[in-house]
Structure formats: C-alpha cells, structure tokens
Amino acid sequence: MSGPSTDPTSDPSSDPSSDPSSDPAGDPAGGSASGPAGGPAAGPAGAPVRIRAMTADDCEAVATVRVRGWRYAYAGLMPQAYLDAMSVEEDAARRREYLVGGEGRVTDLVAEARGRVIGWGCCGPSRDADAPAGSAELYALYVLPERLSTGVGRALMDALAERAVAGGASALLLWVLADNERARRFYAKAGFAPDGAREPFEVGGVEVPEVRYARRLSASSAAPPSRG
C-alpha cells in the first residue's frame, strides 16, 4: 500500500499525483463531512459548492486544505511535532510536481465556494498488488475543518466515484488509520467496509497502522442520491 489511505507525500510513482503514500486519504479532514440526511453541500453562509478539476493555480489552496486537514484529523493520532512541522509552501510545491507527473492517471478534484477552495480529493488506479482487477483507489479526501458536516466531503467523494466508474473501475479502495474512528464512521456511511487488509505505517517514528476499506462501484451507486 502506501500511506494512511491517502496522503500525497510520496513520489508520483508511489502516489499518482497526490502523494497518497502518506496521506490517510481516509479522513475528509476530520472524517465527518457528510451533510445532514444527505443534504446538499453548502459553503460559507450556505453558498453553493462547485466541484471541479484541480489546476496548477489551486496548489497553494489545496496544500492549505491538506495541511490543516492533517493537523485537525490526526491530532492525538500522530506526533504533534510532525504535524506542527508540516509546511504549506513545501506541500504546494509537491502538489505542482504531482500534477505535472501524474500523466493523466490521477483525478484531482476541488470543492469551491465563492471562489475559495474548501476541499480536495483525488483518486486513481489502486497501488495494491493484491487489489481485485478493476479497482480504483481514493488517495486523499480533505475538507477545511470549519466546513465539516456540511456535505462537502461526501460531494467530493461522489464526484470521484463517478470519475472512477467512468474510467472503468468496479471497486473503490482506500486506506485509513485504524484508530481514526471518525473517518471510519464517515466511510462506513458512504458504503465502504473493511476488506481485511492491514498495513503498518510510521509517522515521525510512531507506528500508526492502517486498514483498507472497499466499496463496489456501479453507475447507479456512484451517482449522487436524488434530492427531489
């Protein structure tokens, strides 16, 4: 595997464009970004949220989402000194490198409200040798902490699942920290379940093991639920 489910901190070969080899993609910046009763995503003061492809101009904003997401989601799960040392500037530089080196294998999407990026997610081919044929992988999913529980994380996930189905994927995998109960609840509500795989993962000299979750995909299951 490669990292807490989704963390773009490795190189493009191990983490297609999003460096999921150290990003517990498994936690939408807190793991609870689904809106009440599946309600529509909302941005600042109820502003509508737009899901779109990430561009090079978004790298700094995405790095901010990711760094703030890590600090919020992994407080108490990873060494605080490691989280405090994370740099938005360094991460933005990596984002640019991954976007250029992704070679079209990775889908990076952002959630935007009133022109501001408030969430980011990415997916691509599974990196696991034992993954079932046709499996895609959710590498990362993060939302600004103050935008949790507004539906933004779920909207990003649904859009990424749709892209994975369009690319021919029949399953979506992700890795999440075993002790990240909030994120695990979020993914369970989104139709994911543990598939039995488990991997060691080390951050700042501390072991933080991960578990793998899987969700079957189809055109109907990937589509967002009807709100009418």
Side-chain angles (χ1 to χ4, degrees):
M1 178 261 125
S2 73
S5 153
T6 313
D7 171 349
T9 49
S10 65
D11 57 41
S13 61
S14 62
D15 168 7
S17 154
S18 130
D19 169 16
S21 81
S22 60
D23 232 18
D27 182 347
S32 56
S34 54
V49 172
R50 175 190 177 204
I51 306 296
R52 61 168 176 80
M54 179 184 170
T55 70
D57 291 339
D58 298 317
C59 288
E60 185 170 353
V62 165
T64 297
V65 169
R66 180 177 173 272
V67 170
R68 290 191 60 197
W70 267 63
R71 288 174 177 167
Y72 180 89
Y74 307 128
L77 299 178
M78 295 182 180
Q80 191 60 45
Y82 180 92
L83 298 175
D84 291 342
M86 295 180 73
S87 164
V88 169
E89 293 74 18
E90 292 177 1
D91 194 80
R94 283 195 292 270
R95 298 306 115 210
R96 293 188 184 91
E97 178 183 344
Y98 298 139
L99 274 179
V100 172
E103 299 178 352
R105 296 173 301 147
V106 176
T107 296
D108 283 270
L109 300 179
V110 297
E112 181 182 66
R114 292 183 177 172
R116 181 191 182 199
V117 171
I118 59 174
W120 161 71
C122 61
C123 69
S126 173
R127 296 160 294 166
D128 298 338
D130 65 340
S135 295
E137 183 177 345
L138 178 65
Y139 299 136
L141 183 63
Y142 293 96
V143 176
L144 289 175
E146 63 269 25
R147 302 303 174 208
L148 294 176
S149 299
T150 63
V152 175
R154 185 57 185 269
L156 271 169
M157 180 188 295
D158 287 343
L160 289 164
E162 288 182 40
R163 299 294 184 93
V165 168
S170 57
L172 188 60
L173 310 179
L174 63 84
W175 289 87
V176 61
L177 296 185
D179 291 337
N180 194 339
E181 295 297 335
R182 182 171 47 219
R184 295 181 69 165
R185 287 194 299 270
F186 173 85
Y187 289 115
K189 289 179 180 178
F192 289 85
D195 70 356
R198 186 181 180 94
E199 287 284 347
F201 186 66
E202 182 179 307
V203 175
V206 175
E207 290 290 332
V208 283
E210 302 176 284
V211 293
R212 191 171 67 189
Y213 274 52
R215 169 183 157 184
R216 300 300 300 174
L217 292 178
S218 65
S220 58
S221 67
S226 170
R227 296 189 167 82

